[in-house]
Amino acid sequence: MHDLAGCLFLFSMKITTFNTNSIRARLPIIKNWLLEEQPDILALQETKVQDKDFPFDDFEELGYQAIIRGQKSYNGVAVITNHEPGNIRKDLYKEGDEQARFLSADFSGITVINIYVPQGFAPGTDKFEYKLTWLNDLLKYIQGNYSPQDPLILLGDFNVAMDDRDVYDPDGLKGSAGFHPDEQEILGRFFEWGLVDIFRKYNQEKEQYTFWDYRIPNALKRNRGWRIDYIAATRPLAEKSSSITVDLKPRTLEKPSDHTFLVAEFDI
């Protein structure tokens, strides 16, 4: 475990997350965004490429390195960073993961865990039960390896909207995958343990989303979205956060992801 109080940080960090829905399809958007925003850490989900097909060179040209956990055609997580990583872990389970959904590393004394939570398909299905099991196992992993006083950030596509403010139609969507009480109860236990939802630390308003389904006509224009992407931090780090924003511009570009960038800044 780590002790934030015992470390000295004298810099600010911009930490971001983005579900790419295929990194190859979204590479121009990501590269331009990196050039403009210069984050310290960009966590990516749903990269959908095997390790051998990841575009390492594109990021190295911009002064970044990539840590990845890939999978052909599905899932996949990566961290793009200009910091030196340590203690890299690419599997949630000791025996190894069949699905590429977890990537952890330390950066300047801070542990960053990038996750892509299973979507779950529909309640009552095996995929939904797998989602609940995976979330529970992630919680046990965090509880077993960290304390709420450690400098820990958990971020990524959680595929769970916590309350009515986080979906465009709470009455119609209630009980569906992504907005189900069983999922919300488990995610709530992460916050009870000691993680802080940085977005809600600064913004209590409704209709602030990070995902707009392609299948809904003009979803972004009509703001028929979901807030399912998170940056969460233990309280010692959350207290050092200074802002968090949803960057809508990338979602308006040609061939966008169905998600957009969530950006948090920490003065540490």
Side-chain angles (χ1 to χ4, degrees), residues 27-229:
L27 192 57
I29 289 176
I30 296 169
K31 290 175 65 176
N32 287 336
W33 193 87
L34 282 171
L35 283 170
E36 292 177 3
E37 297 297 328
Q38 295 291 307
D40 295 275
I41 292 170
L42 171 59
L44 303 176
Q45 305 86 40
E46 222 175 342
T47 54
K48 296 184 177 181
V49 292
Q50 300 176 85
D51 289 4
K52 67 182 182 65
D53 296 324
F54 193 89
F56 290 100
D57 291 347
D58 290 88
F59 295 109
E60 289 174 2
E61 290 171 1
L62 301 179
Y64 285 87
Q65 62 176 304
I67 311 163
I68 67 169
R69 172 66 165 87
Q71 182 177 340
K72 184 178 181 180
S73 303
Y74 297 98
N75 307 319
V77 284
V79 173
I80 312 302
T81 182
N82 53 20
H83 290 251
E84 189 62 33
N87 297 322
I88 298 169
R89 177 173 175 141
K90 298 187 177 184
D91 296 291
L92 173 59
Y93 301 103
K94 288 183 179 179
E95 63 273 20
D97 299 353
E98 292 184 2
Q99 300 184 15
R101 298 185 175 276
F102 176 98
L103 181 60
S104 173
D106 291 350
F107 303 92
S108 302
I110 297 171
T111 299
V112 176
I113 301 177
N114 176 21
I115 60 170
Y116 175 45
V117 176
Q119 191 274 337
F121 186 63
T125 65
D126 290 343
K127 290 182 178 180
F128 190 77
E129 290 305 311
Y130 176 74
K131 179 179 189 176
L132 299 181
T133 298
W134 196 92
L135 276 169
N136 265 313
D137 289 343
L138 176 66
L139 178 61
K140 292 175 184 176
Y141 170 80
I142 290 174
Q143 291 173 328
N145 289 277
Y146 303 95
S147 86
Q149 297 306 309
D150 289 335
L152 171 68
I153 292 175
L154 180 70
L155 79 174
D157 180 357
F158 288 23
N159 261 319
V160 180
M162 274 301 291
D163 62 49
D164 288 1
R165 296 170 295 177
D166 296 327
V167 292
Y168 70 91
D169 180 13
D171 292 334
L173 293 168
K174 194 175 297 292
S176 62
F179 197 53
H180 191 281
D182 290 351
E183 303 166 304
Q184 293 165 334
E185 188 274 332
I186 299 171
L187 185 53
R189 284 192 270 137
F190 284 81
F191 301 127
E192 291 170 5
W193 173 81
L195 288 171
V196 176
D197 179 353
I198 302 297
F199 186 83
R200 283 293 172 228
K201 173 177 166 64
Y202 291 100
N203 191 330
Q204 298 301 319
E205 299 299 315
K206 61 181 181 179
E207 298 179 356
Q208 305 290 310
Y209 307 131
T210 60
F211 163 80
W212 299 263
D213 197 327
Y214 291 138
R215 297 169 296 181
I216 299 176
N218 297 311
L220 181 64
K221 185 176 181 180
R222 298 160 63 199
N223 203 25
R224 296 176 70 82
W226 299 60
R227 188 179 76 95
I228 55 176
D229 302 272

Side-chain angles (χ1 to χ4, degrees), residues 14-19 29-30 32-39 42 199 203 208-212 220 223 227 229 231 243-253 256-265:
K14 182 184 286 189
I15 297 177
T16 62
T17 183
F18 176 54
N19 180 312
I29 289 176
I30 296 169
N32 287 336
W33 193 87
L34 282 171
L35 283 170
E36 292 177 3
E37 297 297 328
Q38 295 291 307
L42 171 59
F199 186 83
N203 191 330
Q208 305 290 310
Y209 307 131
T210 60
F211 163 80
W212 299 263
L220 181 64
N223 203 25
R227 188 179 76 95
D229 302 272
I231 298 174
S243 67
I244 188 165
T245 55
V246 178
D247 187 350
L248 291 176
K249 181 181 175 182
R251 186 62 175 79
T252 69
L253 301 176
S257 171
D258 43 4
H259 295 248
T260 198
F261 293 80
L262 182 64
V263 186
E265 299 200 43

